[in-house]
Amino acid sequence: MSVARRTFIQLGAGATVGILFTPTVWKALDDVSIWTQNWPWIPKLKYGAVEAKPTVSKMCESGCAVKVRTVAGEPFGTMGNEDNPISGGGICPLCANGVQVKNSPNRIKAPMLDGQEITWEKAQEVVAEKLAAAGSKVAVISGDQTGTANEVFSALLADKGSDAFYMMPCDMQAADKAWTGLMGGSGQVGYDLEGADLVLLAGADALESWGPTVANLKSFAANESGKFIFAGPMQTKTASVTSLWVPVPAEGMAAFTLGIAYYVLQAGKTVDTADFGQFKAMVMSEYSPAKVEAATGVKADRMADLAKQLLTASNPVVVPAGPVAAHGAAFALNLLLGGAMKALPEFGKAIPSAMSRSEMLKADILEGVDTDLLFIYEANPAYALPEKVKAGFTVAFDVVQTETTATANLVLPSLHPYERFDDLASPYGLAAATYSLGAPVCKPSVDAISAATFILGLADLGFESFEEVLGAKAEAVGADMEALQGGEAFVAEGETPAAASLAANVLGKAAVPVKGTGAVGLAPYTLLNVGTANQATTPNAPCTISNNQLVGDHMVVMMGSATAKQLGVSVGSKVKLSGGKGDCEALVQIFEGVMPGVVAAPLGLGHTVGDEFSKGKGDNVYKILTVSSEAAAGASTWAGSTVNVAKI
Amino acid sequence: MQTKEFKIRWGMVIDIDKCTGCGACMVGCQVENNIAPMTKSDPYNYVQALTKPRDDASNKLRTLTWMNVYELSNGKAFPEHETAYLPRPCMQCGSPACVPVCPVVATDKNEEGGIVSQIYPRCIGCRYCMAACPYHARYFNWWDPLWPEGMDKGLSPSTSVRPRGVVEKCSFCHSRYLQAKDKARMDGEDPMNLPEGAYTTACADICPTKAITFGDLNNPEHKVHELSKSPHAFRLLEKLGLHPQVYYMSEREWVRKQGDNYNAEAGGHH
């Protein structure tokens, strides 16, 4: 059969018209489109019952009360726990990514001795041997500010005749040194941010990383009639929502606070302490507004106005951060004002031989640690304090690999907060003593055990497991275990604070601003999505980090245009910041919310160990902080750090 | 273009004076909607030597963040400088610019509370919708979503994972809406009249300052109904006439002006 050209064209046209009218082709195209998206490496979802189980998360410094969302028993997300006053339903960006950290390949999967995997039995044997050999030369560094695990570690130290318990540097420590150490106060200081009608955040970036951040944010939101003011060297995220930002250099915060106290004293406010007269004389002569203005650059008029506002408020509070002197000055001012500062009762101990929280805060890690055997509990001193810590043998407990676990002799995997029993006792800054409990919401992903249970196996401390310790703690607190496990918190109201002294002698000397010798002041700041001294950024957080902190793999530092002009740099300039015992590389960003003569740099970047989300990103600002001695206050501080900036 | 009107109009009112830009909403959104953390390595790419390495989250032009937080500045020098943070989900416009430009009808605005939908299997990745959206609220999947080994265990059961080559966007956590309606039906309640809080988005849920309020803009019993009428409320680029279902609030005039991309020299807007 032959096909004529005309017939061929007719058939072709007919087929084309037919294709347009048949759904087969369009359906096939639709199917192809769907199937081209059905690659085997695209993960499939898991289905089953969805639940929300209460527990506590310890990834940020004060911890979050959370509910872990599970599907068929497998955790997939974290939400705030509305039943717990610490949360009010919200969570911080670190704890929001808790499940992703739990499942991270960066988890430590088994005990490692000098880089070789060993059994838990062998680990126990090694530590017992080192413990026997070390005698009393044993120390502990803890990155946990709120947990009863600290009682277990400190009880072990007591058993060995050591008191070398170190907390990673924190505001709670400076507050305790000022309040119980210098001023003879009792209890833990707290601030009623929700009940106050005027809140002066004197350096405390309370709405981004200071103290119990989520509880602070919740209080800020709930406080409809209160006014918030932030004082500090840069216009932080906290300052973006406060009514006013008062630029004050970090090293001048204590003097600035005493400058306000000058007016408050002038208005006739008094405190019933033996040294009140001495304090008043000291402030009136040494911290007159003119002198404070000369030392800090803060105008006397500004301090007078703030004092007026504090005096006319019915329930004001000043919230400090930074050095011991800044805390002491703020506490003295709060006592004069008689506002919303509280003294929280300390909960009873689970282990009688353990240290109290105040005792745990006494040792100053910035003065250095040198010991035979060192236990590091969920802290990362090799990252944040690389020059300060030396030990003959180091045992590091952590959930994920860090700079510290990379250098430790023995690395022991901790259970993730969602896999273990843990607790949150009175995070620093809350206005009420609060106790929350966490129980496992899923099975462990790796061969990990509770660090505290491991320690209990090394000495006879009266308990077999950490779970038992927590039972005793709940009893000592006076809380109902069932309610705690259901996610509720035990709350004991804070009391009106009283101090034996205003530490006039010490504050007079310690509040004098002391600045380093570098060309510009350094304003280090912490953002929870970037990370903390103990916790690197989490898998989903990098895209939340702005170009003001990180561009590509380069850290970004911010400064005002006047400072940039003075240094001869502009947006995008690559610079080297030298200070302390190291230097950092960064790109420059202009941000007019930084005081002239100051460069602001984000803490938490520059990890050399960790997952692909944090490793090699930016530079480590802890390297360029300078430790200076608050000689009069008997403490060390990073405030007043300065750097030299060179264009490269 | 005519605005589509529906009985239910889910919307947000975001109080910029309460937002500290902490990023929790962005993280919560990614976890809820199975947005993969961006990874540089691709174990499934067997011809890596011939292809470009993947971008990580540092490249903001290729990140997937259905919710994004922008930093605003009043542009003044120290010490008059002020700053603010503006969270930006999909605006779920009443007259969406993205819908009419889609050649395969992968996106639509329908009765589902006026939420602009996106049908991923139908999307051919032409990105016309991205070009049309003035809010930059649509994102192209440049890279296959890959979770590092073990991390895919923690996937949310709510949202299927989208492959490379499609355009994604915020859906006001639409799966939560379906769940809330199912629950209402099971409880013998009216799924078309959900009470305040029965359906809320992951970002509103997680926000520690509760800067984000979510609800039915048409329902006088929902907070957003009243809040959206506040004298301090405004919508982004309102002059374009897209009628976003996301409102912002600020007592700061400079913030409100920037929200509408205010051009003083051109006489402002009405």
Side-chain angles (χ1 to χ4, degrees):
Chain A
M1 189 181 84
S2 65
V3 178
R5 180 174 174 272
R6 178 179 291 265
T7 313
F8 180 79
I9 290 170
Q10 281 173 339
L11 278 172
T16 307
V17 172
I19 282 170
L20 287 174
F21 283 97
T22 174
T24 313
V25 174
W26 309 112
K27 182 77 181 100
L29 275 174
D30 201 22
D31 284 355
V32 166
S33 140
I34 291 168
W35 279 99
T36 54
Q37 300 183 9
N38 208 11
W39 305 121
W41 53 85
I42 305 295
K44 299 284 182 291
L45 304 186
K46 187 172 188 173
Y47 296 104
V50 175
E51 293 175 271
K53 301 172 183 172
T55 189
V56 297
S57 171
K58 310 222 55 169
M59 290 171 54
C60 62
E61 291 198 341
S62 46
C64 281
V66 301
K67 282 187 176 173
V68 180
R69 302 176 71 202
T70 60
V71 52
E74 185 69 55
F76 68 89
T78 314
M79 58 195 279
N81 180 357
E82 282 192 348
D83 302 328
N84 192 302
I86 297 173
S87 162
I91 35 173
C92 77
L94 279 181
C95 295
N97 224 205
V99 175
Q100 287 63 34
V101 171
K102 182 190 89 66
N103 293 338
S104 163
N106 196 37
R107 285 287 299 267
I108 303 164
K109 294 176 179 63
M112 305 283 282
L113 177 64
D114 294 324
Q116 300 296 315
E117 191 173 321
I118 58 168
T119 62
W120 277 104
E121 290 72 26
K122 175 71 179 168
Q124 190 91 11
E125 203 178 288
V126 170
V127 177
E129 192 182 301
K130 294 288 179 188
L131 201 56
S136 63
K137 291 210 73 178
V138 188
V140 171
I141 297 176
S142 175
D144 180 358
Q145 293 181 21
T146 54
T148 302
N150 288 342
E151 286 193 26
V152 177
F153 280 102
S154 74
L156 176 74
L157 290 183
D159 190 58
K160 301 299 292 179
S162 167
D163 60 356
F165 189 99
Y166 297 88
M167 283 281 199
M168 290 293 280
C170 57
D171 278 309
M172 179 165 65
Q173 183 171 41
D176 186 76
K177 280 178 184 286
W179 181 243
T180 66
L182 300 180
M183 303 174 80
S186 62
Q188 178 180 299
V189 172
Y191 314 91
D192 182 6
L193 301 186
E194 189 170 337
D197 57 348
L198 181 65
V199 178
L200 172 59
L201 300 169
D205 46 0
L207 308 182
E208 63 199 86
S209 61
W210 176 93
T213 313
V214 172
N216 298 338
L217 289 165
K218 176 181 158 277
S219 299
F220 166 73
N223 191 336
E224 294 285 341
S225 54
K227 184 176 179 184
F228 284 66
I229 297 170
F230 177 76
M234 69 175 286
Q235 196 169 38
T236 58
K237 294 192 170 190
T238 297
S240 73
V241 291
T242 55
S243 307
L244 180 68
W245 167 47
V246 183
V248 179
E251 71 277 4
M253 195 58 71
F256 161 76
T257 310
L258 292 180
I260 296 172
Y262 175 94
Y263 291 106
V264 174
L265 287 165
Q266 211 174 39
K269 292 284 184 182
T270 59
V271 182
D272 186 17
T273 59
D275 65 345
F276 173 73
Q278 195 187 345
F279 177 83
K280 184 173 179 179
M282 179 271 289
V283 173
M284 301 313 264
S285 64
E286 304 300 321
Y287 293 92
S288 66
K291 283 186 178 176
V292 173
E293 182 176 331
T296 65
V298 184
K299 299 278 182 208
D301 290 355
R302 175 58 63 82
M303 286 180 279
D305 180 52
L306 289 170
K308 193 177 164 192
Q309 291 190 52
L310 287 164
L311 283 164
T312 50
S314 59
N315 195 27
V317 70
V318 181
V319 185
V324 173
H327 282 82
F331 298 157
L333 181 53
N334 278 325
L335 291 172
L336 284 166
L337 293 164
M341 185 170 103
K342 300 286 176 191
L344 277 53
E346 182 161 359
F347 292 129
K349 290 186 285 188
I351 307 177
S353 60
M355 291 173 165
S356 67
R357 177 174 285 184
S358 184
E359 286 166 344
M360 288 175 194
L361 293 166
K362 290 284 178 275
D364 186 348
I365 199 169
L366 290 177
E367 286 178 356
V369 179
D370 194 352
T371 187
D372 284 356
L373 176 61
L374 174 65
F375 292 99
I376 301 175
Y377 177 59
E378 296 187 359
N380 194 357
Y383 165 74
L385 306 157
E387 302 287 329
K388 299 290 163 191
V389 179
K390 292 180 181 65
F393 190 87
T394 306
V395 183
F397 299 88
D398 216 322
V399 176
V400 291
Q401 297 173 64
T402 66
E403 287 77 2
T404 296
T405 63
T407 51
N409 301 92
L410 179 62
V411 179
L412 299 175
S414 281
L415 290 167
H416 184 274
Y418 300 164
E419 300 167 342
R420 71 192 190 200
F421 286 95
D422 210 337
D423 61 350
L424 286 173
S426 292
Y428 169 64
L430 288 178
T434 311
Y435 187 75
S436 311
L437 192 70
V441 297
C442 62
K443 289 178 187 164
S445 310
V446 295
D447 183 19
I449 65 170
S450 157
T453 300
F454 180 86
I455 294 296
L456 291 169
L458 296 169
D460 183 13
L461 302 176
F463 298 91
E464 293 291 320
S465 71
F466 188 46
E467 194 181 343
E468 279 180 35
V469 176
L470 291 176
K473 183 72 180 182
E475 200 174 319
V477 167
D480 175 42
M481 198 68 176
E482 203 174 315
L484 290 174
Q485 288 189 337
E488 288 179 29
F490 175 83
V491 180
E493 291 303 319
E495 295 152 8
T496 304
S501 152
L502 293 179
N505 263 342
V506 175
L507 281 182
K509 296 171 201 153
V512 177
V514 179
K515 201 174 169 182
T517 54
V520 290
L522 178 66
Y525 63 97
T526 301
L527 297 175
L528 290 181
N529 56 335
V530 174
T532 67
N534 300 327
Q535 172 70 51
T537 192
T538 57
N540 287 97
C543 64
T544 74
I545 300 174
S546 108
N547 286 348
N548 286 357
Q549 282 80 46
L550 190 71
V551 169
D553 288 345
H554 301 284
M555 179 172 81
V556 177
V557 293
M558 297 189 288
M559 60 183 79
S561 53
T563 313
K565 195 175 173 187
Q566 179 198 331
L567 295 170
V569 297
S570 56
V571 173
S573 294
K574 199 169 183 184
V575 293
K576 184 163 86 173
L577 281 68
S578 310
K581 290 185 178 172
D583 46 58
C584 280
E585 280 189 14
L587 301 176
V588 170
Q589 175 63 281
I590 303 296
F591 179 65
E592 300 293 1
V594 182
M595 284 183 73
V598 173
V599 57
L603 293 165
L605 296 170
H607 283 274
T608 54
V609 175
D611 57 25
E612 59 181 303
F613 308 107
S614 59
K615 191 177 164 185
K617 292 285 178 192
D619 214 335
N620 182 358
V621 173
Y622 285 100
K623 287 188 294 187
I624 55 171
L625 296 179
T626 313
V627 178
S628 59
S629 171
E630 282 192 87
S636 309
T637 180
W638 277 320
S641 291
T642 53
V643 288
N644 288 314
V645 181
K647 199 170 174 181
I648 50 175
Chain B
M1 194 181 6
Q2 201 174 359
T3 306
K4 287 189 174 184
E5 296 291 345
F6 303 109
K7 178 178 176 285
I8 298 167
R9 200 162 52 104
W10 293 110
M12 274 180 190
V13 180
I14 302 176
D15 189 343
I16 293 181
D17 297 345
K18 281 185 179 172
C19 175
T20 62
C22 72
C25 56
M26 292 177 72
V27 174
C29 171
Q30 290 176 68
V31 171
E32 175 77 17
N33 295 296
N34 288 332
I35 298 175
M38 290 180 76
T39 57
K40 273 185 180 169
S41 58
D42 177 359
Y44 302 99
N45 182 359
Y46 303 111
V47 286
Q48 304 212 10
L50 304 173
T51 56
K52 275 180 68 180
R54 291 161 61 101
D55 291 295
D56 68 9
S58 304
N59 185 348
K60 298 290 189 279
L61 295 174
R62 303 239 166 141
T63 47
L64 272 168
T65 45
W66 294 3
M67 167 63 101
N68 209 354
V69 178
Y70 293 97
E71 184 175 303
L72 308 180
S73 162
N74 69 347
K76 294 186 179 175
F78 175 88
E80 269 79 43
H81 185 258
E82 279 186 49
T83 188
Y85 294 90
L86 183 142
R88 198 264 17 239
C90 171
M91 298 288 124
Q92 317 294 351
C93 304
S95 308
C98 52
V99 167
V101 298
C102 181
V104 292
V105 203
T107 184
D108 190 22
K109 187 175 178 77
N110 56 31
E111 290 290 345
E112 288 290 283
I115 297 170
V116 178
S117 62
Q118 175 75 357
I119 304 167
Y120 300 115
R122 188 176 281 176
C123 174
I124 58 171
C126 70
R127 290 177 275 162
Y128 290 179
C129 56
M130 290 175 66
C133 174
Y135 304 109
H136 295 209
R138 287 175 166 264
Y139 293 87
F140 184 66
N141 262 358
W142 287 99
W143 307 110
D144 267 331
L146 297 176
W147 279 258
E149 185 195 347
M151 285 181 63
D152 56 348
K153 278 196 304 181
L155 285 174
S156 154
S158 308
T159 320
S160 53
V161 179
R162 291 76 54 193
R164 180 181 62 201
V166 301
V167 174
E168 301 190 0
K169 68 177 271 293
C170 156
S171 65
F172 274 176
C173 297
H174 183 255
S175 56
R176 289 185 171 211
Y177 184 33
L178 300 181
Q179 286 157 12
K181 283 199 292 187
D182 285 347
K183 187 175 184 304
R185 287 186 192 103
M186 285 188 288
D187 295 346
E189 291 159 8
D190 180 6
M192 296 303 285
N193 189 21
L194 293 174
E196 177 102 39
Y199 159 43
T200 187
T201 59
C203 55
D205 220 11
I206 205 170
C207 177
T209 56
K210 299 297 167 210
I212 306 174
T213 309
F214 184 78
D216 179 6
L217 292 162
N218 288 347
N219 190 338
E221 288 174 14
H222 285 206
K223 279 184 208 154
V224 287
H225 177 81
E226 201 56 45
L227 287 174
S228 67
K229 293 175 181 169
S230 155
H232 298 131
F234 64 98
R235 294 189 286 187
L236 292 186
L237 296 171
E238 189 148 10
K239 61 189 166 194
L240 297 182
L242 301 180
H243 304 291
Q245 283 169 213
V246 175
Y247 289 77
Y248 292 88
M249 279 171 67
S250 179
E251 290 186 15
R252 291 173 276 186
E253 194 184 359
W254 69 266
V255 172
R256 295 199 299 271
K257 283 183 173 178
Q258 288 194 9
D260 200 9
N261 198 15
Y262 182 79
N263 184 353
E265 287 169 12
H269 69 288
H270 301 283

